[in-house]
Protein backbone atom coordinates (compact mmCIF):
# COMPACT_ATOMS: atom_id res chain seq x y z
CA UNK A 1 0.00 0.00 0.00
CA UNK A 2 2.84 2.35 1.02
CA UNK A 3 4.75 1.42 -2.20
CA UNK A 4 1.69 2.21 -4.29
CA UNK A 5 1.40 5.63 -2.62
CA UNK A 6 5.01 6.52 -3.45
CA UNK A 7 4.70 5.28 -7.05
CA UNK A 8 1.71 7.62 -7.53
CA UNK A 9 3.54 10.58 -5.91
CA UNK A 10 6.70 10.01 -8.02
CA UNK A 11 4.60 9.69 -11.19
CA UNK A 12 2.82 12.99 -10.46
CA UNK A 13 6.15 14.75 -9.79
CA UNK A 14 7.62 13.37 -13.05
CA UNK A 15 4.62 14.53 -15.08
CA UNK A 16 4.84 18.00 -13.50
CA UNK A 17 8.60 18.28 -14.14
CA UNK A 18 8.07 17.22 -17.76
CA UNK A 19 5.23 19.73 -18.21
CA UNK A 20 7.26 22.63 -16.76
CA UNK A 21 10.28 21.68 -18.85
CA UNK A 22 8.14 21.55 -22.02
CA UNK A 23 6.61 24.96 -21.26
CA UNK A 24 10.03 26.54 -20.64
CA UNK A 25 11.34 24.97 -23.82
CA UNK A 26 8.48 26.45 -25.84
CA UNK A 27 8.95 29.87 -24.29
CA UNK A 28 12.64 29.85 -25.15
CA UNK A 29 12.28 28.62 -28.73
CA UNK A 30 11.71 31.97 -30.46
CA UNK A 31 10.72 31.83 -34.10
CA UNK A 32 12.95 33.41 -36.71
CA UNK A 33 12.72 37.16 -37.19
CA UNK A 34 10.58 37.97 -40.27
CA UNK A 35 13.30 40.17 -41.74
CA UNK A 36 15.76 37.25 -41.49
CA UNK A 37 13.24 34.94 -43.19
CA UNK A 38 12.84 37.46 -46.03
CA UNK A 39 16.60 37.86 -46.48
CA UNK A 40 17.20 34.07 -46.45
CA UNK A 41 14.36 33.55 -48.90
CA UNK A 42 15.72 36.25 -51.19
CA UNK A 43 12.39 37.96 -51.85
CA UNK A 44 9.57 39.59 -49.97
CA UNK A 45 5.98 38.33 -50.27
CA UNK A 46 3.44 41.14 -50.45
CA UNK A 47 -0.35 40.84 -50.48
CA UNK A 48 -1.77 43.26 -53.05
CA UNK A 49 -4.99 43.96 -54.91
CA UNK A 50 -5.42 42.88 -58.53
CA UNK A 51 -8.73 44.66 -59.22
CA UNK A 52 -8.20 48.08 -57.67
CA UNK A 53 -7.06 50.75 -60.11
CA UNK A 54 -4.81 52.65 -59.70
CA UNK A 55 -3.46 50.99 -56.50
CA UNK A 56 -3.10 47.36 -57.45
CA UNK A 57 -4.20 45.74 -60.72
CA UNK A 58 -2.93 43.56 -63.56
CA UNK A 59 -1.57 44.84 -66.86
CA UNK A 60 -0.50 42.16 -69.36
CA UNK A 61 -0.38 39.74 -66.45
CA UNK A 62 1.93 42.00 -64.41
CA UNK A 63 1.09 43.62 -61.07
CA UNK A 64 1.07 47.40 -61.38
CA UNK A 65 -0.15 50.40 -59.38
CA UNK A 66 0.62 52.80 -56.55
CA UNK A 67 0.73 50.05 -53.86
CA UNK A 68 2.90 47.88 -56.12
CA UNK A 69 5.45 50.71 -56.47
CA UNK A 70 5.54 51.08 -52.67
CA UNK A 71 6.25 47.33 -52.33
CA UNK A 72 9.10 47.67 -54.86
CA UNK A 73 10.59 50.63 -52.97
CA UNK A 74 10.66 48.55 -49.76
CA UNK A 75 12.17 45.54 -51.60
CA UNK A 76 14.91 47.81 -52.96
CA UNK A 77 15.77 48.89 -49.44
CA UNK A 78 15.68 45.43 -47.81
CA UNK A 79 17.05 43.31 -50.69
CA UNK A 80 18.74 45.97 -52.85
CA UNK A 81 16.57 44.99 -55.82
CA UNK A 82 13.08 46.38 -56.47
CA UNK A 83 12.15 43.22 -58.36
CA UNK A 84 12.67 40.90 -55.41
CA UNK A 85 8.95 40.86 -54.62
CA UNK A 86 6.43 38.08 -55.01
CA UNK A 87 2.90 39.48 -55.25
CA UNK A 88 -0.03 37.51 -53.84
CA UNK A 89 -3.59 38.57 -54.62
CA UNK A 90 -5.64 39.62 -51.59
CA UNK A 91 -9.18 40.92 -51.10
CA UNK A 92 -10.62 43.00 -48.23
CA UNK A 93 -12.11 39.81 -46.76
CA UNK A 94 -8.99 37.60 -46.77
CA UNK A 95 -6.02 39.97 -46.34
CA UNK A 96 -5.79 39.82 -42.52
CA UNK A 97 -6.07 36.03 -42.58
CA UNK A 98 -3.40 35.58 -45.28
CA UNK A 99 -1.07 37.79 -43.25
CA UNK A 100 -1.60 35.92 -40.00
CA UNK A 101 -1.19 32.45 -41.53
CA UNK A 102 2.12 33.73 -42.95
CA UNK A 103 1.16 33.46 -46.62
CA UNK A 104 2.42 37.04 -47.02
CA UNK A 105 4.99 39.17 -45.15
CA UNK A 106 3.18 42.46 -45.74
CA UNK A 107 -0.20 43.65 -46.98
CA UNK A 108 -0.13 46.76 -49.18
CA UNK A 109 -3.69 46.82 -50.44
CA UNK A 110 -5.63 50.09 -49.98
CA UNK A 111 -6.12 49.01 -46.39
CA UNK A 112 -7.52 51.51 -43.90
CA UNK A 113 -6.31 51.60 -40.29
CA UNK A 114 -9.21 50.73 -37.96
CA UNK A 115 -9.29 49.95 -34.21
CA UNK A 116 -10.86 46.51 -34.92
CA UNK A 117 -8.11 45.60 -37.38
CA UNK A 118 -5.49 46.86 -34.93
CA UNK A 119 -6.61 44.07 -32.59
CA UNK A 120 -5.62 41.50 -35.20
CA UNK A 121 -2.63 42.97 -37.05
CA UNK A 122 -0.06 45.76 -36.78
CA UNK A 123 -0.14 48.83 -39.02
CA UNK A 124 2.67 51.00 -40.37
CA UNK A 125 2.38 54.78 -40.45
CA UNK A 126 -0.26 55.92 -42.94
CA UNK A 127 0.92 56.56 -46.50
CA UNK A 128 -2.29 57.77 -48.14
CA UNK A 129 -5.67 59.32 -47.25
CA UNK A 130 -8.91 58.45 -49.04
CA UNK A 131 -12.59 58.96 -48.17
CA UNK A 132 -15.74 56.87 -48.48
CA UNK A 133 -17.78 57.87 -51.53
CA UNK A 134 -20.70 56.65 -53.65
CA UNK A 135 -20.69 55.59 -57.32
CA UNK A 136 -24.02 55.58 -59.19
CA UNK A 137 -25.19 55.26 -62.82
CA UNK A 138 -24.93 58.66 -64.59
CA UNK A 139 -28.69 58.91 -65.06
CA UNK A 140 -29.40 58.18 -61.38
CA UNK A 141 -31.41 60.68 -59.31
CA UNK A 142 -29.44 59.64 -56.19
CA UNK A 143 -27.53 62.64 -54.82
CA UNK A 144 -26.24 61.24 -51.53
CA UNK A 145 -26.35 58.14 -49.33
CA UNK A 146 -29.65 59.40 -47.85
CA UNK A 147 -31.40 58.85 -51.20
CA UNK A 148 -30.47 55.16 -51.10
CA UNK A 149 -33.06 54.32 -48.43
CA UNK A 150 -34.36 50.77 -48.97
CA UNK A 151 -32.31 50.41 -52.16
CA UNK A 152 -29.66 47.78 -52.97
CA UNK A 153 -26.14 49.09 -52.38
CA UNK A 154 -23.00 47.14 -53.28
CA UNK A 155 -19.98 46.97 -50.97
CA UNK A 156 -16.82 44.90 -50.82
CA UNK A 157 -17.05 42.17 -48.18
CA UNK A 158 -14.87 43.08 -45.21
CA UNK A 159 -14.38 46.71 -46.28
CA UNK A 160 -14.73 49.72 -44.01
CA UNK A 161 -17.60 50.92 -46.23
CA UNK A 162 -19.54 47.71 -45.51
CA UNK A 163 -19.43 48.45 -41.79
CA UNK A 164 -19.96 52.22 -42.14
CA UNK A 165 -23.02 52.07 -44.35
CA UNK A 166 -24.78 49.75 -41.92
CA UNK A 167 -24.24 52.44 -39.27
CA UNK A 168 -24.87 55.55 -41.41
CA UNK A 169 -27.94 54.16 -43.17
CA UNK A 170 -29.30 50.94 -41.60
CA UNK A 171 -32.32 50.93 -43.95
CA UNK A 172 -30.10 50.22 -46.97
CA UNK A 173 -30.10 46.72 -48.42
CA UNK A 174 -26.38 45.92 -48.40
CA UNK A 175 -25.11 43.43 -50.99
CA UNK A 176 -21.53 42.20 -50.55
CA UNK A 177 -19.07 41.39 -53.36
CA UNK A 178 -15.64 39.81 -53.29
CA UNK A 179 -14.08 41.99 -55.97
CA UNK A 180 -14.64 45.46 -57.44
CA UNK A 181 -15.21 43.83 -60.85
CA UNK A 182 -18.17 41.88 -59.42
CA UNK A 183 -19.67 44.98 -57.76
CA UNK A 184 -19.21 47.02 -60.94
CA UNK A 185 -20.87 44.32 -63.07
CA UNK A 186 -23.84 44.31 -60.66
CA UNK A 187 -24.12 48.13 -60.92
CA UNK A 188 -24.04 48.01 -64.72
CA UNK A 189 -26.67 45.23 -64.73
CA UNK A 190 -28.97 47.34 -62.54
CA UNK A 191 -28.86 44.86 -59.64
CA UNK A 192 -27.64 47.57 -57.27
CA UNK A 193 -28.38 51.31 -57.22
CA UNK A 194 -24.86 52.29 -56.06
CA UNK A 195 -21.46 51.07 -54.90
CA UNK A 196 -19.94 52.62 -51.83
CA UNK A 197 -16.19 52.42 -51.17
CA UNK A 198 -13.10 54.66 -51.24
CA UNK A 199 -13.27 57.67 -53.59
CA UNK A 200 -9.84 56.96 -55.07
CA UNK A 201 -10.85 53.45 -56.08
CA UNK A 202 -14.32 54.31 -57.43
CA UNK A 203 -13.01 57.36 -59.31
CA UNK A 204 -11.14 55.12 -61.75
CA UNK A 205 -14.50 53.72 -62.95
CA UNK A 206 -16.01 57.19 -63.36
CA UNK A 207 -12.90 58.29 -65.28
CA UNK A 208 -13.09 55.51 -67.85
CA UNK A 209 -16.85 54.95 -68.12
CA UNK A 210 -19.19 57.92 -68.71
CA UNK A 211 -22.23 55.80 -67.80
CA UNK A 212 -21.28 56.01 -64.10
CA UNK A 213 -20.54 59.02 -61.86
CA UNK A 214 -18.98 59.62 -58.44
CA UNK A 215 -21.07 61.68 -56.02
CA UNK A 216 -19.23 64.64 -54.40
CA UNK A 217 -19.78 63.87 -50.70
CA UNK A 218 -17.16 62.01 -48.61
CA UNK A 219 -18.33 60.18 -45.49
CA UNK A 220 -15.09 59.10 -43.81
CA UNK A 221 -11.35 59.60 -43.73
CA UNK A 222 -9.57 56.39 -44.76
CA UNK A 223 -5.93 56.31 -43.70
CA UNK A 224 -4.15 53.65 -45.76
CA UNK A 225 -1.29 51.80 -44.07
CA UNK A 226 0.82 48.70 -44.59
CA UNK A 227 -0.30 45.65 -42.60
CA UNK A 228 2.14 43.41 -40.71
CA UNK A 229 1.83 40.56 -38.24
CA UNK A 230 1.36 41.70 -34.69
CA UNK A 231 4.15 39.58 -33.23
CA UNK A 232 7.64 39.98 -31.81
CA UNK A 233 9.22 38.53 -34.99
CA UNK A 234 7.79 41.30 -37.20
CA UNK A 235 8.87 44.23 -35.01
CA UNK A 236 12.11 44.90 -36.92
CA UNK A 237 10.23 44.71 -40.21
CA UNK A 238 7.69 47.23 -38.88
CA UNK A 239 10.52 49.62 -38.00
CA UNK A 240 12.06 49.22 -41.47
CA UNK A 241 8.69 49.73 -43.19
CA UNK A 242 8.08 52.92 -41.20
CA UNK A 243 11.55 54.24 -42.07
CA UNK A 244 10.76 53.54 -45.73
CA UNK A 245 7.50 55.50 -45.51
CA UNK A 246 9.32 58.45 -43.90
CA UNK A 247 11.99 58.25 -46.61
CA UNK A 248 9.32 58.14 -49.34
CA UNK A 249 7.88 61.37 -47.92
CA UNK A 250 11.25 63.12 -47.65
CA UNK A 251 12.81 62.02 -50.95
CA UNK A 252 9.66 62.97 -52.88
CA UNK A 253 8.76 59.43 -53.92
CA UNK A 254 5.22 59.58 -52.50
CA UNK A 255 4.46 62.87 -54.30
CA UNK A 256 5.95 61.46 -57.49
CA UNK A 257 3.88 58.26 -57.21
CA UNK A 258 0.69 60.23 -56.59
CA UNK A 259 1.40 62.15 -59.77
CA UNK A 260 2.29 59.00 -61.71
CA UNK A 261 -0.97 57.29 -60.71
CA UNK A 262 -3.06 60.50 -61.02
CA UNK A 263 -3.99 60.53 -57.35
CA UNK A 264 -3.69 64.28 -56.78
N1 LIG B 1 -9.87 51.15 -47.64
C1 LIG B 1 -11.04 50.37 -47.47
C2 LIG B 1 -10.79 49.29 -46.46
O1 LIG B 1 -9.70 49.13 -46.01
C3 LIG B 1 -11.52 49.92 -48.83
C4 LIG B 1 -11.55 48.50 -49.12
C5 LIG B 1 -10.54 48.04 -50.10
O2 LIG B 1 -9.40 47.81 -49.72
O3 LIG B 1 -10.88 47.84 -51.24
O4 LIG B 1 -11.68 48.59 -46.09
Amino acid sequence: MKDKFWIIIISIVLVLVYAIDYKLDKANSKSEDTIKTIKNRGYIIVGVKTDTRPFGYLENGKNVGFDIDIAKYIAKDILHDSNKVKFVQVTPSNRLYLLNVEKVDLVIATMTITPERRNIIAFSKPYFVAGQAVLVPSGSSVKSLGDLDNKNVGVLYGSTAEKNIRIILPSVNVLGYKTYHDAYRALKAGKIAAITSDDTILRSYAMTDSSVKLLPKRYTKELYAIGLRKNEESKTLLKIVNINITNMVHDGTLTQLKRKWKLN
Side-chain angles (χ1 to χ4, degrees):
M1 185 65 192
K2 220 176 167 194
D3 277 0
K4 221 175 169 188
F5 171 78
W6 281 111
I7 286 170
I8 290 170
I9 293 293
I10 289 166
S11 304
I12 291 172
V13 169
L14 281 176
V15 167
L16 280 176
V17 165
Y18 179 79
I20 290 166
D21 199 45
Y22 176 77
K23 240 186 139 181
L24 280 176
D25 236 34
K26 263 196 108 178
N28 290 335
S29 71
K30 254 187 93 189
S31 304
E32 191 177 63
D33 199 274
T34 311
I35 197 77
K36 206 167 159 204
T37 309
I38 293 169
K39 284 189 175 166
N40 287 341
R41 192 200 290 132
Y43 58 91
I44 185 161
I45 308 173
V46 183
V48 294
K49 298 287 208 64
T50 55
D51 68 334
T52 309
R53 283 171 188 265
F55 289 90
Y57 61 101
L58 295 174
E59 207 167 68
N60 303 322
K62 278 183 80 182
N63 295 85
V64 291
F66 183 82
D67 284 344
I68 309 302
D69 285 345
I70 289 179
K72 287 183 174 174
Y73 185 99
I74 294 170
K76 176 123 181 77
D77 178 50
I78 298 175
L79 299 155
H80 314 293
D81 184 343
S82 59
N83 290 315
K84 298 273 187 239
V85 192
K86 182 184 167 193
F87 294 109
V88 170
Q89 180 195 353
V90 298
T91 64
S93 53
N94 72 9
R95 57 193 166 189
L96 304 192
Y97 169 77
L98 291 177
L99 183 61
N100 278 338
V101 296
E102 304 192 12
K103 291 277 185 240
V104 298
D105 303 313
L106 298 175
V107 169
I108 313 181
T110 61
M111 183 159 61
T112 304
I113 303 172
T114 71
E116 295 83 6
R117 289 175 185 164
R118 258 199 207 289
N119 288 329
I120 305 167
I121 61 162
F123 280 105
S124 70
K125 297 175 177 183
Y127 64 88
F128 191 83
V129 187
Q132 188 183 339
V134 180
L135 186 79
V136 294
S138 297
S140 170
S141 59
V142 170
K143 294 214 159 29
S144 71
L145 269 185
D147 299 331
L148 289 164
D149 226 7
N150 296 315
K151 292 206 166 77
N152 290 343
V153 175
V155 295
L156 268 280
Y157 278 127
S159 66
T160 44
E162 179 186 14
K163 189 176 169 229
N164 293 337
I165 194 165
R166 292 184 201 278
I167 297 166
I168 303 170
L169 201 66
S171 59
V172 143
N173 185 25
V174 180
L175 297 186
Y177 296 92
K178 257 195 178 156
T179 68
Y180 282 96
H181 294 325
D182 293 344
Y184 185 60
R185 249 196 307 273
L187 182 73
K188 297 285 279 182
K191 290 186 182 150
I192 49 177
I195 304 173
T196 181
S197 184
D198 298 349
D199 51 357
T200 37
I201 299 170
L202 296 179
R203 190 176 296 131
S204 65
Y205 290 98
M207 270 162 61
T208 51
D209 178 359
S210 60
S211 75
V212 292
K213 64 179 180 193
L214 193 66
L215 300 182
K217 198 165 159 56
R218 301 292 173 265
Y219 298 88
T220 59
K221 219 174 191 182
E222 309 282 328
L223 296 181
Y224 290 179
I226 297 173
L228 299 99
R229 276 184 291 284
K230 204 180 166 171
N231 58 17
E232 213 41 54
E233 294 79 23
S234 294
K235 287 223 162 112
T236 319
L237 181 59
L238 175 60
K239 265 189 206 148
I240 293 171
V241 164
N242 277 334
I243 292 170
N244 271 274
I245 293 176
T246 306
N247 290 345
M248 276 190 275
V249 173
H250 290 138
D251 68 13
T253 301
L254 264 192
T255 312
Q256 207 180 306
L257 288 182
K258 281 181 196 163
R259 210 172 301 134
K260 174 179 173 187
W261 295 106
K262 299 186 173 62
L263 286 162
N264 284 321

